[in-house]
């Protein structure tokens, strides 16, 4: 990006900050018919077992699953802050790019606090990372070069955008959740302008091998984050008699729903810089059932 464009983004960030403390109506309780997650994104919707749930169980299913989503977003944004801190160290302190990154880091940490507050407001108890998730996070932050860490973090942001769009456009969703995603969408709109410029600089210099590796990094981040949403313990919490069997059905159902509802924008993004080739298509088809 040009220096004057970055300066404009810095000015907006300083003069028109969106503070979760005032933007989100934390004091408002959910209405009787409010949901916490659009049914199109819940793991059991569309299965016969869903029709056996009571209205309260359906609400609780959405509540527990949106808590997992919010928890994973906070985790993903923490990884992104690691990338931005690394990248900022390479820049002159007085450069517009460095100063914008500082503003973005501030906002990303506010988002993490906002997601944590939303979890608390929902009386949620997140199911923490599995050993596989934890291992992947440690490897990413400690050993991946900055550009690969950037790609992985961007993958999480893409999923965040998709979920956020569903939630903030659904009038039946609890207002606190809608406003959380609305705030996130507005501020990420500014961040994405900077991110696109950085993405272009990385991919313009990348050859076949590097684009292949970028594609695998994005794929694995999406795969791992997606598997944080659906957990057997959720079905125990809502009182289902055979949570293990339901979990197996839910996994398959959610994979299909995720492919149908969430992958379109991500596929367009990866395809835009040549991330699909003979070395990567098979993996996207196998792990995410992507039509590439």
């Amino acid at each position: 990006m040009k220096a004057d464009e970055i300066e404009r983004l810095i000015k907006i960030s300083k003069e028109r900050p969106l503070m979760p403390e005032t933007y989100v109506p934390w004091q408002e309780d959910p209405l009787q018919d409010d949901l916490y997650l659009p049914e199109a994104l819940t793991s059991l919707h569309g299965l016969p077992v869903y029709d056996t749930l009571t209205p309260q169980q359906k609400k609780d299913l959405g509540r527990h699953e949106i808590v997992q989503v919010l928890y994973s977003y906070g985790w993903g944004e923490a990884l992104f802050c690691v990338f931005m801190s690394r990248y900022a160290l390479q820049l002159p302190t007085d450069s517009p790019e460095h100063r914008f990154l500082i503003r973005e880091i501030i906002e990303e940490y506010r988002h993490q606090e906002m997601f944590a507050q939303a979890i608390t407001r929902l009386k949620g108890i997140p199911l923490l990372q599995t050993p596989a998730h934890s291992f992947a996070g440690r490897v990413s932050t400690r050993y991946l070069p900055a550009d690969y860490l950037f790609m992985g973090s961007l993958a999480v942001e893409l999923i965040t955008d998709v979920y956020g769009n569903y939630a903030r456009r659904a009038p039946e969703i609890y207002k606190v959740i809608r406003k959380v995603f609305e705030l996130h969408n507005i501020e990420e709109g500014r961040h994405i302008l900077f991110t696109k410029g950085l993405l272009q600089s990385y991919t313009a210099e990348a050859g076949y091998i590097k684009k292949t590796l970028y594609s695998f990094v994005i794929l694995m981040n999406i795969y791992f984050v997606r598997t944080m949403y659906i957990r057997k313990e959720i079905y125990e919490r809502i009182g289902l008699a055979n949570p293990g069997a339901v979990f197996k059905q839910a996994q398959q159902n959610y994979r299909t729903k995720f492919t149908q509802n969430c992958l379109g924008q991500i596929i367009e993004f990866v395809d835009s810089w040549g991330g699909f080739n003979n070395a990567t298509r098979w993996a996207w088809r196998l792990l995410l059932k992507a039509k590439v």
Side-chain angles (χ1 to χ4, degrees):
M1 291 182 68
K2 296 179 181 178
D4 60 335
E5 294 175 326
I6 297 175
E7 293 287 2
R8 181 175 61 84
L9 294 177
I10 293 172
K11 183 178 180 181
I12 293 173
S13 177
K14 288 182 176 181
E15 295 181 354
R16 286 185 278 171
L18 297 177
M19 306 303 292
E21 293 81 2
T22 55
Y23 192 88
V24 180
W26 299 108
Q27 74 285 354
E28 291 197 20
D29 293 324
L31 301 176
Q32 183 175 354
D33 295 329
D34 280 354
L35 298 177
Y36 301 102
L37 184 67
E39 287 187 312
L41 297 177
T42 57
S43 62
L44 298 182
H45 181 257
L47 292 174
V49 68
Y50 190 75
D51 296 327
T52 70
L53 301 182
T54 66
Q56 187 60 49
Q57 283 178 313
K58 291 178 180 179
K59 278 190 176 185
D60 286 341
L61 174 67
R63 182 170 64 87
H64 289 302
E65 291 190 350
I66 194 64
V67 164
Q68 289 304 114
V69 170
L70 293 168
Y71 167 68
S72 72
Y73 289 172
W75 180 68
E77 295 213 337
L79 293 181
F80 201 29
C81 286
V82 173
F83 157 74
M84 288 188 289
S85 296
R86 277 195 200 173
Y87 185 67
L89 290 173
Q90 306 171 21
L91 302 171
T93 306
D94 60 343
S95 68
E97 195 174 10
H98 183 276
R99 290 187 291 108
F100 176 77
L101 280 173
I102 298 303
R103 299 300 309 176
E104 185 168 353
I105 290 170
I106 291 170
E107 290 172 354
E108 295 289 12
Y109 275 116
R110 280 208 303 258
H111 295 169
Q112 292 173 55
E113 183 184 30
M114 176 177 68
F115 292 145
Q117 188 169 350
I119 290 171
T120 300
R121 187 68 179 86
L122 294 173
K123 298 181 174 63
I125 304 175
L127 296 161
L128 304 184
Q129 302 167 19
T130 65
H133 292 124
S134 181
F135 175 77
R138 288 198 305 271
V139 169
S140 297
T141 53
R142 291 183 184 180
Y143 302 114
L144 284 184
D147 54 338
Y148 290 90
L149 186 58
F150 169 77
M151 290 295 175
S153 302
L154 191 56
V156 179
E157 290 290 344
L158 288 168
I159 301 176
T160 309
D161 284 345
V162 173
Y163 264 74
N165 287 340
Y166 272 99
R168 65 191 178 83
R169 293 170 182 169
E172 71 274 15
I173 298 302
Y174 175 33
K175 188 174 182 179
V176 165
I177 299 299
R178 283 194 288 114
K179 297 298 281 186
V180 162
F181 282 117
E182 187 176 289
L183 183 152
H184 186 263
N185 177 264
I186 293 170
E187 291 201 326
E188 289 303 316
R190 296 200 297 265
H191 298 173
I192 202 66
L193 294 174
F194 180 83
T195 301
K196 283 182 177 179
L198 189 55
L199 172 68
Q200 187 174 12
S201 69
Y202 281 145
T203 56
E205 300 173 359
Y208 180 89
I209 293 176
K210 181 162 277 193
K211 287 181 179 179
T212 297
L213 294 174
Y214 284 165
S215 183
F216 273 113
V217 168
I218 291 171
L219 168 63
M220 295 310 299
N221 272 270
I222 292 172
Y223 180 79
F224 271 107
V225 169
R226 188 198 66 180
T227 55
M228 292 173 69
Y229 299 167
I230 309 303
R231 304 283 289 274
K232 184 183 74 171
E233 292 89 341
I234 290 175
Y235 311 115
E236 295 172 349
R237 289 178 176 180
I238 66 174
L240 297 187
N242 194 343
V246 173
F247 173 61
K248 291 180 181 178
Q249 296 177 49
Q251 277 186 310
Q252 184 60 46
N253 187 50
Y254 184 71
R255 288 177 189 139
T256 301
K257 291 163 76 79
F258 187 89
T259 299
Q260 292 174 345
N261 299 323
C262 303
L263 268 189
Q265 178 182 333
I266 296 168
I267 289 173
E268 289 179 9
F269 161 71
V270 176
D271 191 45
S272 69
W273 47 264
F276 296 122
N277 55 45
N278 291 334
T280 61
R281 285 192 183 92
W282 68 270
W284 282 82
R285 291 167 181 167
L286 176 67
L287 293 179
L288 296 181
K289 308 301 180 187
K291 296 179 180 180
V292 296

